[in-house]
Amino acid sequence: MDASSWHQRWEKLDIAFHESEANPLLVKYFKELSLVKGGRVFLPLCGKTLDIPWLLSNGYRVAGAELSKIAIEQLFMELGVEPKISKVGGLDRYSAKNIDIFVGDILHLSSKTLGPVDATYDRAALVALPIEMRNRYTAHLTEITDKAPQLLICYEYDQSLMEGPPFSISNEEVNQRYRDSYDLTLTASTNVPAGLKGKCPAKENVWLLKND
């Protein structure tokens, strides 16, 4: 999905992808990252996900990157927090206690601007990007997070049966993109009830990526 399409979806609030609760797989498997309380978790392409208040309420700090200003304005409104907004590294940073969200193109976010993170949680980024963008994204993510351990959730299905996003990310692709930087463990693989968007059978895979 290109940037203009993403902005249009938020302007029209065409956000069926937005979940009404914290992702159950995050809740179940986040402990696999072995983070101490107060650890800083980076969420790429975060939107206004309810995973953020879940992480905050469980004692973690959150950093995120998101293209849509509308999404982040709604996020802070729903958190009931007034953000401090500043320009940094060519992006807009929305900050409050224990949270920093960078609004703009994630590929323009540097490690210096992001700051140290203890883990990455990717539920919505890799699956949102067409294949021609995924190489650059995964290399950039690995660089700016300094190979921080990652919890990755993605879908796997017959891409010929449905157009993305979310796109199908095969186990082979995950290995191809990350094996040079991490030890990879397929922690869980479950069938999506009633299929993905009710259109085709799919598995939802949970990967744990740790430093090799």
Side-chain angles (χ1 to χ4, degrees):
M1 179 176 292
D2 60 32
S4 61
S5 298
W6 187 247
H7 284 304
Q8 287 173 14
R9 289 187 72 166
W10 276 99
E11 287 166 3
K12 297 175 181 177
L13 292 182
D14 177 16
I15 52 172
F17 53 84
H18 177 67
E19 296 182 335
S20 59
E21 60 183 5
N23 187 286
L25 296 176
L26 168 68
V27 174
K28 184 172 183 179
Y29 293 106
F30 186 77
K31 63 181 180 292
E32 301 296 330
L33 289 169
S34 304
L35 287 194
V36 298
K37 298 292 182 174
R40 192 167 185 247
V41 184
F42 179 52
L43 283 69
L45 280 60
C46 61
K48 62 170 187 172
T49 175
L50 293 177
D51 297 338
I52 290 175
W54 184 87
L55 288 165
L56 292 170
S57 68
N58 279 276
Y60 300 100
R61 294 178 295 139
V62 170
E66 169 56 45
L67 192 61
S68 171
K69 177 181 175 182
I70 293 172
I72 300 313
E73 288 175 342
Q74 291 186 10
L75 168 66
F76 279 91
M77 182 176 64
E78 292 171 12
L79 287 172
V81 174
E82 184 71 28
K84 178 182 178 182
I85 304 171
S86 58
K87 290 276 188 183
V88 57
L91 303 173
D92 292 327
R93 180 173 62 192
Y94 285 62
S95 297
K97 184 179 180 181
N98 294 329
I99 182 170
D100 301 288
I101 308 293
F102 300 91
V103 177
D105 187 340
I106 189 173
L107 296 177
H108 297 161
L109 178 62
S110 68
S111 57
K112 180 179 179 181
T113 299
L114 173 60
V117 296
D118 300 298
T120 298
Y121 166 57
D122 181 350
R123 181 191 68 80
L126 189 62
V127 297
L129 299 173
I131 192 166
E132 60 270 15
M133 293 181 65
R134 295 201 286 263
N135 263 342
R136 189 176 175 196
Y137 162 75
T138 52
H140 184 68
L141 182 65
T142 302
E143 177 189 352
I144 63 174
T145 62
D146 193 25
K147 298 183 183 180
Q150 181 178 162
L151 187 68
L152 170 66
I153 299 175
C154 51
Y155 295 105
E156 187 173 17
Y157 63 94
D158 184 346
Q159 188 74 81
S160 69
L161 298 178
M162 191 186 81
E163 293 184 357
F167 294 99
S168 177
I169 309 294
S170 69
N171 293 348
E172 291 77 13
E173 181 173 348
V174 174
N175 274 278
Q176 175 194 343
R177 297 192 184 286
Y178 284 120
R179 66 188 172 204
D180 290 342
S181 300
Y182 296 98
D183 286 330
L184 294 93
T185 304
L186 180 58
T187 302
S189 182
T190 58
N191 292 321
V192 177
L196 190 59
K197 297 185 177 180
K199 294 181 179 180
C200 66
K203 288 186 178 296
E204 196 166 15
N205 296 330
V206 180
W207 288 90
L208 183 65
L209 284 58
K210 289 199 169 182
N211 293 326
D212 55 16

